Amino acid sequence: MFERLIAGLERRDELSDIEKAIIEGFRFRVQSFDDGQELVAEGSRPSESCLVLTGFTARAQFLSDGARQISAVHVPGDFVDLHCFLLKTMDHSIVAIRQCTAAYIPHSSLREAIAASPHLGRLFWLATLIDAAIQRAWISSIGRRTPAQHIGHLLCELHERLDLLGLVKDGSFEFPPTQTDISDMVGLSLVHVNRTIQELRAKGLVAWSSRVVTIPDLARLKRFADFDPSYLNLVKEPR
Amino acid sequence: MFERLIAGLERRDELSDIEKAIIEGFRFRVQSFDDGQELVAEGSRPSESCLVLTGFTARAQFLSDGARQISAVHVPGDFVDLHCFLLKTMDHSIVAIRQCTAAYIPHSSLREAIAASPHLGRLFWLATLIDAAIQRAWISSIGRRTPAQHIGHLLCELHERLDLLGLVKDGSFEFPPTQTDISDMVGLSLVHVNRTIQELRAKGLVAWSSRVVTIPDLARLKRFADFDPSYLNLVKEPR
DNA sequence: CGGCAAATTGACACATCTCAAAGCCTGTGG
DNA sequence: CCACAGGCTTTGAGATGTGTCAATTTGCCG
């Protein structure tokens, strides 16, 4: 159930057998969701934190005029909602991009785990810090990169993260968001996103159809989008 | 030395005398900085975390074409660089907006503090989560708010945070960033920022000259900018 | 085969950027 | 106390970028 979570933590630091056992011993319930449903609602006060098991999810905020802004995309194994463990009230929603399943773990389990292993506590903290680093990269993208660079950067990020999960084959990966979803990620209109994707295709940087993205020359796309993966903290070291 | 840090933590949860004593006992060194200097450099691997004592600082990233994007502003008392305690390598720089002073606390002190009080550890974790919530609000602003709303929202945020420090008098507060700095925060050109500020002035929402901002009618500006302070977590509850 | 969601296109309005110049403050040195 | 330099703010004009609206095409699913 929690292999991906464990693998994700182990990518950043050693995990003892005891720590793995603590995680395996989490109480949890599993729930499935359809397109667009909320796994966690803005303004709610959950007593459980949720973890993506399968499928894609996103963090979303809604403005008073109904506009939506997505501030992160999450992939299987991501402990999406560690935030509410301490933040208590959600400042954003977690929404399903397509069908997905999630495990909900009671905060009491988390609290016990952290008490039993402060190191594990630091690794959960680290997970939220990496989310924050990704958000900073998004701020730079949305503020200072061109639309084509921005979408290119986003695809590099997802390539990198999905590759670790073994979900990339020959530079191709499934990426279910519609162009409307993408427009809410990059803060542009749907029409402009469409034209930007066509620009990326025309430049030969990306092939993208029926929800499968192919990156023929990753190094070239990275150069084009000014992508440097170090912010993803894919380095194993004592934390 | 650490009153503001302690006051900031106490705004979110009770702190025991022992916990306060732990903080007061931090080893530290103090350093001053001038306009634009880096307190912490992107790519570096600090062994200390830094805390703003006086003045304004910002998190900044630089793109390969030299463009700069600011992803957060920090005020006195903010434990700006808790991140590097676990992230190890900086994904961004911390820069001085004007003269400022900062305390550097060795990671070993932090580690001891957290070991001695897991609750204090959670509160430091919380501080980084609140930073992340602010970053999400910035993403929404930059992606979906109009420039005038965005700058209005930013000023509401700073009003709220500075008010807690007693740095707001009759709706006025010192805000040292130049319009060039603001343009790097909101991801617009300097010229457009200038025109947007004039628009806010013309609407009577803001007075702003010689680095002092005055908000004549805060409720009106909040309404205009769609500002809801709940993401700042100014609620005291057990964490 | 029909229906629906998603992707694509075109045309035009509006927002924002760039470049370049001018004006305005503030601190400094004479 | 004045004059000046330099940084910051403000202005104008034209080029580009991006949004909106509305229609059309495509592709998938029942």
Side-chain angles (χ1 to χ4, degrees):
Chain A
M1 181 61 61
F2 298 124
E3 322 78 37
R4 283 201 157 135
L5 171 63
I6 291 174
L9 297 175
E10 281 189 303
R11 204 159 289 122
R12 275 82 185 207
D13 192 5
E14 303 287 346
L15 226 50
S16 71
D17 289 343
I18 296 173
E19 287 166 339
K20 289 183 209 174
I22 292 174
I23 293 176
E24 300 285 8
F26 278 160
R27 273 165 288 139
F28 66 92
R29 66 184 176 87
V30 174
Q31 195 172 341
S32 305
F33 297 88
D34 265 340
D35 289 36
Q37 288 189 304
E38 290 190 328
L39 316 219
V40 188
E42 184 169 348
S44 68
R45 295 178 57 85
S47 61
E48 311 164 300
S49 279
C50 93
L51 169 65
V52 183
L53 295 174
T54 62
F56 286 75
T57 60
R59 289 177 203 285
Q61 292 185 324
F62 297 85
L63 304 200
S64 56
D65 66 353
R68 182 176 76 149
Q69 176 67 45
I70 290 176
S71 55
V73 172
H74 285 280
V75 301
D78 283 353
F79 214 147
V80 222
D81 193 26
L82 267 177
H83 303 69
C84 74
F85 173 52
L86 293 176
L87 243 26
K88 304 303 180 192
T89 303
M90 293 296 294
D91 64 300
H92 61 279
S93 295
I94 314 276
V95 300
I97 287 183
R98 294 289 273 174
Q99 288 95 338
C100 72
T101 55
Y104 288 79
I105 296 158
H107 289 164
S108 53
S109 269
L110 287 176
R111 192 171 296 255
E112 290 159 19
I114 292 170
S117 165
H119 176 244
L120 200 50
R122 290 201 300 277
L123 291 186
F124 287 147
W125 183 357
L126 172 67
T128 64
L129 290 173
I130 293 173
D131 282 350
I134 294 174
Q135 285 176 8
R136 283 190 288 277
W138 279 44
I139 290 176
S140 289
S141 281
I142 200 169
R144 291 300 187 201
R145 278 186 250 264
T146 64
Q149 286 181 309
H150 186 171
I151 293 179
H153 197 275
L154 177 67
L155 294 178
C156 287
E157 176 195 322
L158 275 134
H159 178 97
E160 206 80 11
R161 292 167 66 192
L162 291 170
D163 197 21
L164 295 172
L165 303 176
L167 296 176
V168 178
K169 287 267 185 303
D170 301 326
S172 291
F173 56 91
E174 278 207 31
F175 192 52
T178 65
Q179 293 186 1
T180 302
D181 294 327
I182 305 288
S183 75
D184 288 337
M185 295 177 195
V186 298
L188 296 171
S189 69
L190 167 61
V191 171
H192 203 65
V193 164
N194 181 281
R195 291 183 173 131
T196 304
I197 290 173
Q198 291 179 53
E199 179 189 339
L200 288 170
R201 287 194 192 112
K203 289 196 161 108
L205 290 165
V206 170
W208 187 345
S209 74
S210 47
R211 304 187 161 178
V212 173
V213 170
T214 305
I215 302 176
D217 184 345
L218 184 61
R220 194 157 78 90
L221 184 60
K222 284 184 175 176
R223 225 175 310 120
F224 173 79
D226 193 26
F227 180 83
D228 170 356
S230 52
Y231 72 100
L232 294 172
N233 270 263
L234 300 171
V235 181
K236 197 166 193 165
E237 54 181 310
R239 314 265 183 175
Chain B
M1 181 59 63
F2 297 123
E3 322 78 37
R4 283 202 155 134
L5 172 62
I6 290 174
L9 296 175
E10 281 190 303
R11 204 157 291 119
R12 275 83 184 207
D13 192 5
E14 303 288 346
L15 226 50
S16 71
D17 289 342
I18 296 173
E19 287 167 339
K20 290 183 207 171
I22 292 174
I23 293 176
E24 301 284 8
F26 278 160
R27 273 164 289 138
F28 66 92
R29 66 185 176 86
V30 174
Q31 195 172 339
S32 306
F33 297 88
D34 264 341
D35 288 36
Q37 287 188 305
E38 290 190 329
L39 317 218
V40 188
E42 184 170 346
S44 68
R45 296 179 56 86
S47 61
E48 311 165 300
S49 278
C50 94
L51 168 66
V52 182
L53 295 174
T54 63
F56 286 74
T57 59
R59 290 177 203 286
Q61 290 185 325
F62 297 86
L63 303 201
S64 57
D65 66 352
R68 183 175 76 149
Q69 177 66 45
I70 291 176
S71 55
V73 172
H74 285 280
V75 301
D78 283 353
F79 214 147
V80 224
D81 194 26
L82 268 177
H83 304 68
C84 74
F85 173 52
L86 292 176
L87 244 25
K88 304 303 177 188
T89 303
M90 294 297 293
D91 64 302
H92 61 277
S93 294
I94 313 276
V95 301
I97 287 182
R98 294 288 275 175
Q99 290 96 335
C100 71
T101 55
Y104 288 79
I105 296 158
H107 288 165
S108 54
S109 269
L110 287 176
R111 192 171 296 255
E112 290 159 17
I114 292 170
S117 166
H119 177 244
L120 200 51
R122 290 201 300 277
L123 292 185
F124 288 147
W125 182 357
L126 174 66
T128 64
L129 290 174
I130 293 172
D131 282 351
I134 294 174
Q135 284 176 9
R136 282 190 288 277
W138 279 44
I139 290 176
S140 289
S141 282
I142 199 169
R144 292 301 187 201
R145 278 186 249 264
T146 64
Q149 285 180 308
H150 187 172
I151 293 179
H153 196 275
L154 177 67
L155 294 177
C156 287
E157 175 194 324
L158 275 136
H159 177 97
E160 206 80 10
R161 292 167 65 191
L162 291 170
D163 196 22
L164 295 172
L165 303 175
L167 296 177
V168 178
K169 286 266 185 306
D170 300 326
S172 291
F173 55 93
E174 279 209 29
F175 192 52
T178 65
Q179 293 186 0
T180 302
D181 293 328
I182 304 287
S183 75
D184 288 337
M185 294 176 196
V186 298
L188 296 170
S189 69
L190 166 61
V191 172
H192 202 66
V193 164
N194 180 278
R195 291 183 172 130
T196 303
I197 290 173
Q198 290 178 54
E199 179 189 340
L200 287 170
R201 287 196 192 110
K203 290 196 162 106
L205 290 165
V206 169
W208 188 344
S209 73
S210 47
R211 305 189 161 176
V212 174
V213 170
T214 305
I215 301 176
D217 183 346
L218 184 60
R220 194 157 80 90
L221 183 61
K222 285 184 175 176
R223 225 175 311 121
F224 173 79
D226 192 26
F227 180 83
D228 170 358
S230 51
Y231 73 100
L232 294 172
N233 271 263
L234 300 171
V235 181
K236 197 167 193 163
E237 54 182 311
R239 313 265 184 176

